Coordinates of all heavy atoms in Angstrom, one line a residue:
Chain A
L48 N 1.7 34.3 -72.7 CA 0.5 34.1 -73.5 C 0.9 33.4 -74.8 O 0.1 32.6 -75.3 CB -0.1 35.5 -73.9 CG -0.7 36.3 -72.7 CD1 -1.2 37.7 -73.2 CD2 -1.8 35.5 -72.0
V49 N 2.1 33.7 -75.4 CA 2.5 33.0 -76.6 C 2.7 31.5 -76.2 O 2.2 30.7 -77.0 CB 3.9 33.6 -77.1 CG1 4.4 32.7 -78.2 CG2 3.7 35.0 -77.5
D50 N 3.4 31.2 -75.1 CA 3.6 29.8 -74.8 C 2.3 29.1 -74.6 O 2.1 28.0 -75.1 CB 4.4 29.7 -73.5 CG 5.8 30.3 -73.6 OD1 6.3 30.3 -74.8 OD2 6.4 30.6 -72.6
A51 N 1.3 29.8 -74.0 CA 0.0 29.1 -73.8 C -0.8 28.9 -75.1 O -1.6 28.0 -75.1 CB -0.9 30.0 -72.8
S52 N -0.4 29.6 -76.1 CA -1.1 29.4 -77.4 C -0.7 28.1 -78.1 O -1.4 27.6 -78.9 CB -0.8 30.6 -78.3 OG 0.5 30.5 -78.9
G53 N 0.5 27.6 -77.7 CA 1.0 26.4 -78.3 C 1.5 26.6 -79.7 O 1.9 25.7 -80.4
L54 N 1.6 27.9 -80.1 CA 2.0 28.2 -81.5 C 3.5 28.8 -81.4 O 4.0 29.2 -80.4 CB 1.1 29.3 -82.1 CG -0.4 28.9 -82.2 CD1 -1.2 30.1 -82.7 CD2 -0.5 27.7 -83.2
G55 N 4.1 28.9 -82.6 CA 5.3 29.6 -82.7 C 5.1 31.1 -82.7 O 3.9 31.5 -82.6
A56 N 6.1 31.9 -82.8 CA 5.9 33.3 -82.7 C 6.9 34.1 -83.6 O 8.0 33.7 -83.9 CB 6.1 33.8 -81.2
V57 N 6.3 35.2 -84.1 CA 7.2 36.2 -84.7 C 7.3 37.3 -83.7 O 6.4 38.0 -83.3 CB 6.5 36.8 -86.0 CG1 7.4 37.9 -86.6 CG2 6.2 35.7 -87.0
Y58 N 8.6 37.4 -83.1 CA 8.8 38.4 -82.1 C 9.3 39.7 -82.8 O 10.3 39.7 -83.5 CB 9.9 37.9 -81.1 CG 10.3 38.9 -80.1 CD1 9.5 39.1 -78.9 CD2 11.4 39.7 -80.2 CE1 9.9 40.0 -77.9 CE2 11.8 40.7 -79.3 CZ 11.0 40.8 -78.1 OH 11.4 41.7 -77.2
V59 N 8.5 40.8 -82.7 CA 8.8 42.0 -83.3 C 9.4 43.0 -82.3 O 8.7 43.5 -81.5 CB 7.6 42.6 -84.0 CG1 8.0 43.9 -84.8 CG2 7.0 41.6 -85.0
A60 N 10.7 43.3 -82.4 CA 11.3 44.3 -81.6 C 11.3 45.7 -82.2 O 11.7 45.8 -83.4 CB 12.8 43.9 -81.3
T61 N 10.7 46.7 -81.6 CA 10.7 48.0 -82.1 C 11.9 48.8 -81.8 O 12.1 49.9 -82.3 CB 9.4 48.8 -81.6 OG1 9.5 48.8 -80.2 CG2 8.2 48.1 -82.1
A62 N 12.8 48.2 -81.0 CA 14.1 48.9 -80.6 C 15.0 49.0 -81.9 O 15.0 48.1 -82.7 CB 14.8 48.2 -79.5
R63 N 15.6 50.1 -82.0 CA 16.7 50.2 -83.0 C 17.9 49.5 -82.4 O 18.4 49.9 -81.3 CB 17.1 51.7 -83.2 CG 16.0 52.4 -84.0 CD 16.4 53.9 -84.0 NE 15.4 54.7 -84.6 CZ 15.2 54.9 -85.9 NH1 16.0 54.4 -86.7 NH2 14.2 55.7 -86.3
L64 N 18.3 48.4 -83.0 CA 19.3 47.6 -82.4 C 20.6 48.4 -82.1 O 21.1 49.2 -82.9 CB 19.7 46.4 -83.4 CG 20.3 45.2 -82.6 CD1 19.3 44.7 -81.7 CD2 20.7 44.2 -83.6
G65 N 21.1 48.1 -80.9 CA 22.4 48.8 -80.5 C 22.1 50.1 -79.8 O 23.0 50.6 -79.1
E66 N 20.9 50.6 -79.9 CA 20.7 51.9 -79.2 C 20.2 51.7 -77.8 O 20.3 52.6 -76.9 CB 19.7 52.7 -80.0 CG 20.3 53.3 -81.2 CD 19.4 54.4 -81.9 OE1 18.4 54.7 -81.3 OE2 19.7 54.7 -83.0
D67 N 19.6 50.6 -77.5 CA 19.1 50.3 -76.2 C 19.7 49.0 -75.7 O 19.4 47.9 -76.1 CB 17.5 50.2 -76.2 CG 16.9 49.9 -74.8 OD1 17.5 49.2 -74.1 OD2 15.9 50.5 -74.5
E68 N 20.6 49.2 -74.7 CA 21.4 48.0 -74.3 C 20.6 46.9 -73.7 O 20.7 45.8 -74.1 CB 22.4 48.5 -73.2 CG 23.6 47.6 -73.0 CD 24.4 48.2 -71.8 OE1 24.6 49.4 -71.7 OE2 24.8 47.3 -71.0
E69 N 19.6 47.3 -72.8 CA 18.8 46.3 -72.2 C 18.0 45.5 -73.3 O 17.8 44.3 -73.2 CB 17.9 46.9 -71.2 CG 16.8 46.0 -70.6 CD 16.9 45.7 -69.1 OE1 17.7 46.4 -68.5 OE2 16.3 44.8 -68.6
M70 N 17.4 46.3 -74.3 CA 16.6 45.7 -75.3 C 17.4 44.8 -76.2 O 17.0 43.7 -76.6 CB 15.9 46.8 -76.1 CG 14.8 46.3 -77.0 SD 13.5 45.3 -76.2 CE 12.5 46.6 -75.5
T71 N 18.7 45.2 -76.5 CA 19.6 44.4 -77.3 C 19.8 43.1 -76.6 O 19.8 42.0 -77.2 CB 20.9 45.1 -77.6 OG1 20.6 46.4 -78.1 CG2 21.8 44.4 -78.5
T72 N 20.1 43.2 -75.3 CA 20.3 41.9 -74.5 C 19.1 41.1 -74.6 O 19.2 39.8 -74.7 CB 20.6 42.3 -73.0 OG1 21.6 43.3 -73.0 CG2 21.0 41.1 -72.2
R73 N 17.9 41.7 -74.5 CA 16.7 40.9 -74.5 C 16.5 40.2 -75.8 O 16.1 39.1 -75.8 CB 15.5 41.9 -74.2 CG 14.3 41.1 -73.8 CD 13.1 42.1 -73.5 NE 13.2 42.7 -72.2 CZ 12.4 43.5 -71.7 NH1 11.3 43.9 -72.4 NH2 12.5 44.1 -70.5
I74 N 16.8 40.9 -76.9 CA 16.6 40.3 -78.2 C 17.6 39.2 -78.4 O 17.2 38.1 -78.8 CB 16.8 41.4 -79.3 CG1 15.7 42.4 -79.3 CG2 16.9 40.7 -80.7 CD1 16.0 43.6 -80.2
D75 N 18.9 39.4 -78.0 CA 19.8 38.3 -78.0 C 19.4 37.1 -77.2 O 19.5 35.9 -77.7 CB 21.2 38.8 -77.5 CG 21.9 39.7 -78.4 OD1 21.5 39.8 -79.6 OD2 22.8 40.4 -78.0
H76 N 18.8 37.4 -76.1 CA 18.3 36.3 -75.2 C 17.2 35.5 -75.9 O 17.2 34.3 -75.9 CB 17.7 37.1 -73.9 CG 17.0 36.2 -73.0 ND1 17.7 35.3 -72.2 CD2 15.7 36.0 -72.7 CE1 16.8 34.6 -71.4 NE2 15.6 35.1 -71.7
H77 N 16.3 36.3 -76.6 CA 15.2 35.6 -77.3 C 15.8 34.7 -78.4 O 15.4 33.5 -78.5 CB 14.3 36.6 -78.0 CG 13.3 37.1 -77.1 ND1 12.9 38.4 -77.1 CD2 12.5 36.5 -76.1 CE1 12.0 38.6 -76.2 NE2 11.7 37.5 -75.6
R78 N 16.8 35.2 -79.1 CA 17.4 34.5 -80.2 C 18.0 33.2 -79.7 O 17.9 32.1 -80.3 CB 18.4 35.3 -80.9 CG 17.8 36.4 -81.8 CD 18.8 36.9 -82.7 NE 18.2 37.7 -83.8 CZ 18.5 38.9 -84.1 NH1 19.5 39.6 -83.5 NH2 17.9 39.6 -85.1
A79 N 18.7 33.3 -78.6 CA 19.4 32.2 -78.0 C 18.5 31.1 -77.5 O 18.6 29.9 -77.7 CB 20.4 32.6 -76.9
R80 N 17.5 31.6 -76.8 CA 16.6 30.7 -76.1 C 15.6 29.9 -77.0 O 15.3 28.8 -76.8 CB 15.8 31.5 -75.1 CG 14.9 30.6 -74.2 CD 14.3 31.4 -73.1 NE 13.5 32.4 -73.6 CZ 12.3 32.8 -73.0 NH1 11.9 32.2 -71.9 NH2 11.6 33.8 -73.5
R81 N 15.1 30.7 -78.0 CA 14.1 30.1 -78.8 C 14.6 29.2 -79.9 O 15.7 29.5 -80.5 CB 13.2 31.2 -79.4 CG 12.6 32.1 -78.4 CD 11.6 31.4 -77.5 NE 11.1 32.3 -76.5 CZ 10.0 32.0 -75.8 NH1 9.3 31.0 -76.1 NH2 9.6 32.8 -74.9
G82 N 13.8 28.2 -80.3 CA 14.2 27.3 -81.3 C 13.6 27.8 -82.7 O 13.4 29.0 -82.8
P83 N 13.4 27.0 -83.6 CA 13.0 27.3 -85.0 C 11.6 27.9 -85.0 O 11.2 28.5 -86.0 CB 13.1 26.0 -85.7 CG 13.1 25.0 -84.7 CD 13.7 25.5 -83.5
D84 N 10.8 27.7 -83.9 CA 9.4 28.2 -83.9 C 9.3 29.7 -83.5 O 8.2 30.2 -83.4 CB 8.6 27.4 -82.9 CG 8.3 26.0 -83.4 OD1 8.5 25.8 -84.6 OD2 7.8 25.2 -82.6
W85 N 10.5 30.3 -83.3 CA 10.5 31.7 -82.8 C 11.4 32.5 -83.7 O 12.6 32.4 -83.7 CB 11.0 31.7 -81.3 CG 10.8 32.9 -80.6 CD1 11.7 34.0 -80.6 CD2 9.8 33.3 -79.7 NE1 11.2 34.9 -79.7 CE2 10.1 34.5 -79.1 CE3 8.6 32.6 -79.2 CZ2 9.2 35.2 -78.2 CZ3 7.8 33.2 -78.3 CH2 8.1 34.5 -77.8
T86 N 10.8 33.4 -84.4 CA 11.5 34.3 -85.3 C 11.6 35.7 -84.7 O 10.6 36.2 -84.2 CB 10.8 34.4 -86.7 OG1 10.6 33.1 -87.2 CG2 11.7 35.2 -87.7
T87 N 12.7 36.3 -84.8 CA 12.9 37.7 -84.3 C 13.1 38.7 -85.5 O 13.9 38.5 -86.3 CB 14.1 37.8 -83.4 OG1 13.9 36.9 -82.3 CG2 14.2 39.2 -82.8
L88 N 12.2 39.7 -85.5 CA 12.3 40.8 -86.5 C 12.5 42.1 -85.8 O 12.1 42.3 -84.7 CB 11.0 40.9 -87.3 CG 10.6 39.6 -88.1 CD1 9.3 39.9 -88.8 CD2 11.7 39.3 -89.1
E89 N 13.2 43.0 -86.4 CA 13.4 44.4 -85.9 C 12.6 45.3 -86.8 O 12.9 45.3 -88.0 CB 14.8 44.7 -85.8 CG 15.6 44.0 -84.6 CD 17.0 43.7 -85.0 OE1 17.6 44.5 -85.7 OE2 17.4 42.6 -84.7
E90 N 11.8 46.1 -86.2 CA 11.0 47.1 -87.0 C 10.7 48.3 -86.2 O 9.7 48.4 -85.5 CB 9.7 46.5 -87.6 CG 9.0 47.4 -88.5 CD 9.9 48.1 -89.5 OE1 10.4 47.4 -90.4 OE2 10.1 49.3 -89.4
P91 N 11.6 49.3 -86.3 CA 11.4 50.5 -85.5 C 10.3 51.5 -86.0 O 9.8 52.2 -85.2 CB 12.8 51.2 -85.6 CG 13.4 50.7 -86.9 CD 12.9 49.3 -87.1
L92 N 9.9 51.4 -87.3 CA 9.0 52.4 -87.8 C 7.7 51.8 -88.5 O 6.6 52.2 -88.2 CB 9.7 53.3 -88.8 CG 10.8 54.2 -88.2 CD1 11.6 54.9 -89.3 CD2 10.1 55.3 -87.3
L93 N 8.0 50.8 -89.4 CA 6.9 50.4 -90.3 C 6.1 49.2 -89.7 O 5.9 48.2 -90.3 CB 7.5 50.0 -91.7 CG 8.3 51.1 -92.3 CD1 8.9 50.6 -93.6 CD2 7.4 52.3 -92.6
L94 N 5.6 49.5 -88.5 CA 4.8 48.4 -87.8 C 3.5 48.0 -88.4 O 3.3 46.8 -88.6 CB 4.6 48.9 -86.3 CG 4.2 47.9 -85.3 CD1 5.1 46.7 -85.3 CD2 4.3 48.5 -83.9
P95 N 2.7 49.0 -88.8 CA 1.4 48.5 -89.5 C 1.7 47.7 -90.8 O 1.1 46.7 -91.0 CB 0.7 49.9 -89.9 CG 1.3 50.9 -88.9 CD 2.7 50.4 -88.7
E96 N 2.7 48.1 -91.5 CA 3.1 47.4 -92.7 C 3.6 46.0 -92.4 O 3.2 45.0 -93.1 CB 4.2 48.1 -93.5 CG 3.8 49.5 -94.1 CD 3.7 50.6 -93.1 OE1 3.9 50.4 -91.9 OE2 3.4 51.8 -93.6
L97 N 4.4 45.9 -91.4 CA 4.8 44.6 -90.9 C 3.7 43.7 -90.6 O 3.7 42.5 -90.9 CB 5.8 44.7 -89.8 CG 6.4 43.4 -89.2 CD1 7.8 43.6 -88.8 CD2 5.6 42.8 -88.1
L98 N 2.7 44.2 -89.8 CA 1.6 43.4 -89.4 C 0.8 42.9 -90.7 O 0.4 41.7 -90.7 CB 0.6 44.2 -88.5 CG 1.1 44.6 -87.1 CD1 0.1 45.3 -86.3 CD2 1.6 43.3 -86.4
V99 N 0.6 43.7 -91.7 CA -0.1 43.3 -92.9 C 0.7 42.1 -93.5 O 0.1 41.1 -94.0 CB -0.2 44.5 -93.9 CG1 -0.6 44.0 -95.3 CG2 -1.1 45.6 -93.3
R100 N 2.0 42.2 -93.5 CA 2.9 41.2 -94.2 C 2.9 39.9 -93.4 O 2.9 38.8 -94.0 CB 4.3 41.8 -94.2 CG 5.1 41.3 -95.4 CD 6.3 42.2 -95.5 NE 7.2 42.3 -94.3 CZ 7.5 43.5 -93.7 NH1 7.1 44.6 -94.2 NH2 8.3 43.4 -92.6
E101 N 2.9 40.0 -92.1 CA 3.1 38.8 -91.2 C 1.8 38.1 -90.7 O 1.8 37.0 -90.3 CB 4.0 39.1 -90.0 CG 5.4 39.6 -90.4 CD 6.3 38.5 -91.0 OE1 6.0 37.3 -90.7 OE2 7.3 38.9 -91.7
A102 N 0.7 38.9 -90.7 CA -0.5 38.4 -90.0 C -1.1 37.3 -90.8 O -0.9 37.2 -92.1 CB -1.5 39.5 -89.8
G103 N -1.8 36.4 -90.1 CA -2.6 35.4 -90.8 C -1.8 34.1 -91.0 O -2.3 33.1 -91.6
G104 N -0.5 34.1 -90.6 CA 0.2 32.8 -90.7 C -0.1 32.0 -89.5 O -1.1 32.3 -88.8
D105 N 0.7 31.0 -89.2 CA 0.3 30.1 -88.1 C 1.1 30.4 -86.8 O 1.3 29.6 -86.0 CB 0.6 28.6 -88.5 CG 2.0 28.4 -89.0 OD1 2.7 29.4 -89.1 OD2 2.3 27.3 -89.2
R106 N 1.6 31.7 -86.8 CA 2.4 32.1 -85.7 C 1.8 33.3 -85.0 O 1.2 34.1 -85.7 CB 3.8 32.5 -86.1 CG 4.6 31.3 -86.6 CD 6.0 31.7 -87.0 NE 6.7 30.5 -87.5 CZ 8.0 30.3 -87.5 NH1 8.8 31.3 -87.1 NH2 8.6 29.2 -87.9
V107 N 1.9 33.4 -83.7 CA 1.5 34.6 -82.9 C 2.5 35.7 -83.3 O 3.7 35.5 -83.4 CB 1.6 34.3 -81.4 CG1 1.3 35.6 -80.6 CG2 0.7 33.1 -81.0
I108 N 2.0 36.9 -83.5 CA 2.9 38.1 -83.6 C 2.9 38.8 -82.3 O 1.9 39.2 -81.7 CB 2.4 39.0 -84.7 CG1 2.3 38.3 -86.0 CG2 3.3 40.2 -84.8 CD1 1.7 39.1 -87.2
L109 N 4.1 38.9 -81.7 CA 4.3 39.6 -80.5 C 5.2 40.8 -80.7 O 6.3 40.8 -81.1 CB 5.0 38.6 -79.5 CG 5.6 39.2 -78.2 CD1 4.5 40.0 -77.4 CD2 6.2 38.1 -77.3
V110 N 4.6 42.0 -80.4 CA 5.3 43.3 -80.7 C 5.7 43.9 -79.3 O 4.8 44.1 -78.4 CB 4.3 44.3 -81.4 CG1 5.1 45.6 -81.6 CG2 3.9 43.8 -82.7
D111 N 7.0 44.2 -79.1 CA 7.5 44.7 -77.9 C 8.5 45.7 -78.2 O 9.6 45.5 -78.6 CB 8.1 43.5 -77.1 CG 8.4 43.8 -75.7 OD1 8.3 45.0 -75.3 OD2 8.9 42.9 -74.9
C112 N 8.2 47.1 -78.0 CA 6.9 47.5 -77.4 C 6.5 48.8 -78.2 O 7.2 49.4 -78.9 CB 7.1 47.9 -75.9 SG 8.2 49.3 -75.7
L113 N 5.2 49.2 -77.9 CA 4.6 50.3 -78.7 C 5.2 51.6 -78.3 O 5.2 52.5 -79.1 CB 3.1 50.2 -78.5 CG 2.4 49.0 -79.0 CD1 0.9 49.1 -78.8 CD2 2.7 48.7 -80.5
T114 N 5.5 51.8 -77.0 CA 6.0 53.1 -76.6 C 7.3 53.4 -77.2 O 7.6 54.6 -77.6 CB 6.1 53.2 -75.0 OG1 6.3 51.8 -74.5 CG2 4.8 53.7 -74.5
L115 N 8.2 52.4 -77.5 CA 9.4 52.6 -78.2 C 9.1 53.0 -79.6 O 9.8 53.8 -80.2 CB 10.3 51.4 -78.1 CG 11.8 51.5 -78.0 CD1 12.2 52.6 -77.1 CD2 12.4 50.1 -77.6
W116 N 8.1 52.4 -80.2 CA 7.7 52.7 -81.6 C 7.3 54.1 -81.7 O 7.7 54.8 -82.6 CB 6.6 51.7 -82.0 CG 6.0 52.0 -83.4 CD1 6.7 51.9 -84.5 CD2 4.7 52.3 -83.7 NE1 5.8 52.2 -85.6 CE2 4.6 52.4 -85.1 CE3 3.5 52.5 -82.9 CZ2 3.4 52.8 -85.7 CZ3 2.3 52.8 -83.6 CH2 2.3 53.0 -85.0
I117 N 6.5 54.6 -80.7 CA 6.1 56.0 -80.7 C 7.3 56.9 -80.6 O 7.4 57.9 -81.3 CB 5.1 56.3 -79.5 CG1 3.8 55.6 -79.8 CG2 4.9 57.8 -79.3 CD1 2.8 55.7 -78.6
T118 N 8.2 56.6 -79.7 CA 9.5 57.4 -79.6 C 10.2 57.5 -81.0 O 10.6 58.5 -81.4 CB 10.4 56.7 -78.6 OG1 9.8 56.6 -77.4 CG2 11.7 57.5 -78.5
N119 N 10.3 56.3 -81.7 CA 10.9 56.3 -83.0 C 10.2 57.2 -84.0 O 10.8 57.9 -84.8 CB 11.0 54.9 -83.5 CG 11.9 54.0 -82.7 OD1 12.8 54.5 -82.0 ND2 11.6 52.7 -82.7
L120 N 8.9 57.1 -84.0 CA 8.1 57.9 -84.9 C 8.3 59.4 -84.6 O 8.5 60.2 -85.5 CB 6.6 57.6 -84.8 CG 6.1 56.2 -85.2 CD1 4.6 56.1 -84.8 CD2 6.3 56.0 -86.7
M121 N 8.4 59.8 -83.3 CA 8.6 61.2 -83.0 C 10.0 61.7 -83.4 O 10.1 62.8 -83.9 CB 8.4 61.4 -81.5 CG 7.0 61.2 -81.0 SD 6.8 61.4 -79.2 CE 7.0 63.2 -79.0
L122 N 11.0 60.8 -83.2 CA 12.3 61.2 -83.6 C 12.5 61.4 -85.1 O 13.3 62.2 -85.6 CB 13.3 60.1 -83.1 CG 13.5 60.0 -81.6 CD1 14.4 58.8 -81.2 CD2 14.2 61.3 -81.1
E123 N 11.6 60.7 -85.9 CA 11.6 60.9 -87.3 C 10.7 62.0 -87.8 O 10.4 62.2 -89.0 CB 11.3 59.6 -88.0 CG 12.2 58.4 -87.8 CD 13.5 58.5 -88.5 OE1 13.6 59.2 -89.6 OE2 14.5 58.0 -88.1
A124 N 10.0 62.6 -86.8 CA 9.0 63.7 -87.1 C 7.9 63.2 -88.0 O 7.4 64.0 -88.8 CB 9.7 64.9 -87.7
L125 N 7.5 62.0 -87.8 CA 6.4 61.4 -88.6 C 5.1 61.8 -87.9 O 5.1 62.2 -86.7 CB 6.5 59.9 -88.7 CG 7.7 59.5 -89.5 CD1 8.0 58.0 -89.4 CD2 7.5 59.9 -91.0

Side-chain angles (χ1 to χ4, degrees):
Chain A
L48 292 180
V49 174
D50 293 341
S52 76
L54 300 172
V57 179
Y58 177 83
V59 183
T61 57
R63 290 171 187 277
L64 204 62
E66 285 188 11
D67 181 320
E68 202 185 314
E69 170 117 13
M70 192 53 81
T71 308
T72 309
R73 193 178 286 181
I74 295 171
D75 287 346
H76 175 72
H77 277 139
R78 286 198 165 127
R80 187 172 57 144
R81 302 295 177 162
D84 285 347
W85 192 274
T86 306
T87 301
L88 299 178
E89 286 144 38
E90 183 46 69
L92 295 169
L93 303 175
L94 194 50
E96 291 79 357
L97 179 145
L98 292 184
V99 170
R100 210 163 57 232
E101 299 288 339
D105 55 356
R106 294 178 180 207
V107 176
I108 301 178
L109 168 55
V110 179
D111 192 355
C112 66
L113 298 181
T114 27
L115 212 46
W116 178 60
I117 289 174
T118 303
N119 294 336
L120 294 174
M121 289 178 75
L122 290 173
E123 299 285 336
L125 295 169

